[in-house]
Amino acid sequence: MDYLDIFFKAFKGTINWTWRSIVFDVPWYTNYFWGLIVISIGVWCLELLFPWRKEQSMFRKDFWLDALYMFFNFFIFAIVISGVYKVLEVVFSQFGITMKSMALIDISNLPKGIQLLIFFVLLDFVQWFTHVLLHRYTLLWRFHKVHHSVKEMGFAAHLRYHWMENIFYKPLKVFAVMLLGGFEPDQAYVVHFIAITIGHLNHSNIKLTYGPLKYIFNNPVMHLYHHAYTLPKNKKYGVNFGISLSLWDYLFKTNYIPETSGKITLGYDDDYKMPKTFFKQLLYGFKKRD
Ligand SMILES: [Zn+2]
Ligand SMILES: [Zn+2]
């Protein structure tokens, strides 16, 4: 089979899977299409019932733009890229590099709960590290600016990010799974749904810190400061890089929560230059001056 065949087979397979998800023709616990909608409506209701910034409107600034991003990054981009990833997988395997070539630990014999925990923590750590790099290197930051262009925070801002970020996060995520010998626990969907929920909550207009669990789990108060316009002098590359877990920020001393009013200016230095429309943002970041 040539690469073009492999590409189109994967591409069509993902379109088919997405369509079957929309029409409820997949097991409910793997249905990310409706899962994302249910989690979004749930967190949105919580925002409306228990708002942190009471003056924030139901349809805050850029609500619909962010809603568009949610579906684009989760489904449209996934369809477009699936063929590319499949071809890469085949190319690597021809060089003898497979998901099993770097197996460090075999977790397949451990109890299911422990497998899921290891999978969750390892994946979260590599994403935390990638996020630090997105802030540290100008080339990556140009694309990550799209996520930081949010000026009014709400749950849907979670998935407002440039499609290039999917590509930046991929290598270390694959590496993490390779360390586990290419092993994804049967119930990995539990981890993915938990991560989506925590991510939505982190961006929501709800004052939540989970009490003493704040040292483990990322939360809306902590993540709001990740989006702060003004950063502390000694942390010019950013603070609170956590994805689902806040643990890494406390361990590596990148944590920063000076107050909890929720009323801070969001964005970054030249955020007024960010194009306002979705299609212009898709092309943003490729030019040096961006
Ligand atoms: Zn960031
Ligand atoms: Zn964010």
Side-chain angles (χ1 to χ4, degrees):
M1 205 159 45
D2 67 16
Y3 294 139
L4 217 57
D5 279 343
I6 296 167
F7 177 90
F8 280 112
K9 204 162 167 258
F11 182 76
K12 277 192 243 159
T14 319
I15 291 184
N16 188 27
W17 178 262
T18 308
W19 175 249
R20 284 177 49 206
S21 302
I22 295 171
V23 297
F24 299 99
D25 189 25
V26 297
W28 66 270
Y29 50 84
T30 58
N31 198 326
Y32 290 99
F33 184 84
W34 288 104
L36 182 64
I37 293 176
V38 168
I39 294 170
S40 298
I41 292 175
V43 176
W44 193 21
C45 287
L46 289 175
E47 272 191 347
L48 299 174
L49 286 170
F50 311 103
W52 183 7
R53 293 168 295 279
K54 305 236 179 324
E55 65 288 355
Q56 190 165 305
S57 72
M58 183 174 175
F59 297 96
R60 67 175 168 84
K61 184 181 180 330
D62 292 340
F63 179 92
W64 295 110
L65 174 71
D66 293 349
L68 180 60
Y69 264 110
M70 286 213 297
F71 288 93
F72 180 84
N73 279 324
F74 242 70
F75 305 106
I76 311 288
F77 180 81
I79 289 170
V80 174
I81 203 73
S82 58
V84 178
Y85 285 156
K86 193 69 203 170
V87 169
L88 281 175
E89 201 183 307
V90 173
V91 170
F92 277 112
S93 72
Q94 282 169 349
F95 286 100
I97 304 165
T98 68
M99 292 303 277
K100 298 209 182 305
S101 11
M102 266 197 278
L104 191 69
I105 29 173
D106 179 13
I107 62 169
S108 58
N109 295 321
L110 296 174
K112 288 266 184 275
I114 308 287
Q115 287 181 15
L116 285 176
L117 189 66
I118 294 173
F119 182 70
F120 176 62
V121 174
L122 188 62
L123 228 56
D124 190 72
F125 175 71
V126 295
Q127 291 183 89
W128 175 85
F129 184 68
T130 308
H131 190 189
V132 172
L133 299 180
L134 293 184
H135 281 258
R136 186 69 182 72
Y137 295 100
T138 317
L139 189 77
L140 305 178
W141 169 244
R142 292 213 296 258
F143 297 101
H144 191 47
K145 275 177 178 179
V146 170
H147 183 64
H148 282 266
S149 66
V150 175
K151 297 299 280 180
E152 213 175 359
M153 192 59 77
F155 77 92
H158 175 205
L159 298 174
R160 181 202 296 196
Y161 56 82
H162 197 286
W163 56 271
M164 279 292 282
E165 284 201 28
N166 292 306
I167 295 170
F168 297 145
Y169 275 99
K170 189 75 177 177
L172 282 180
K173 274 162 84 175
V174 172
F175 177 68
V177 178
M178 280 173 91
L179 290 181
L180 301 178
F183 182 78
E184 281 215 28
D186 295 341
Q187 293 89 358
Y189 61 86
V190 176
V191 167
H192 297 312
F193 278 122
I194 290 177
I196 297 170
T197 308
I198 295 177
H200 267 37
L201 286 169
N202 289 343
H203 292 85
S204 69
N205 181 22
I206 310 169
K207 191 179 185 181
L208 259 182
T209 54
Y210 315 127
L213 291 179
K214 68 182 175 194
Y215 297 110
I216 296 174
F217 292 105
N218 196 5
N219 53 73
V221 175
M222 189 166 192
H223 194 67
L224 193 73
Y225 273 93
H226 176 66
H227 284 263
Y229 187 93
T230 315
L231 290 167
K233 293 260 175 310
N234 59 342
K235 291 191 165 81
K236 63 176 177 137
Y237 289 114
V239 294
N240 306 347
F241 299 101
I243 309 290
S244 294
L245 301 176
S246 58
L247 183 71
W248 316 118
D249 286 308
Y250 286 104
L251 276 176
F252 294 98
K253 309 247 179 315
T254 46
N255 61 305
Y256 177 71
I257 308 168
E259 55 92 46
T260 62
S261 69
K263 291 176 184 171
I264 54 164
T265 306
L266 307 179
Y268 54 88
D269 255 354
D270 52 353
D271 58 8
Y272 61 90
K273 290 184 191 159
M274 177 60 63
K276 299 281 172 267
T277 63
F278 177 73
F279 288 103
K280 282 191 178 154
Q281 289 185 3
L282 284 186
L283 300 173
Y284 190 79
F286 291 102
K287 288 187 221 108
K288 218 170 173 191
R289 59 180 165 79
D290 281 347

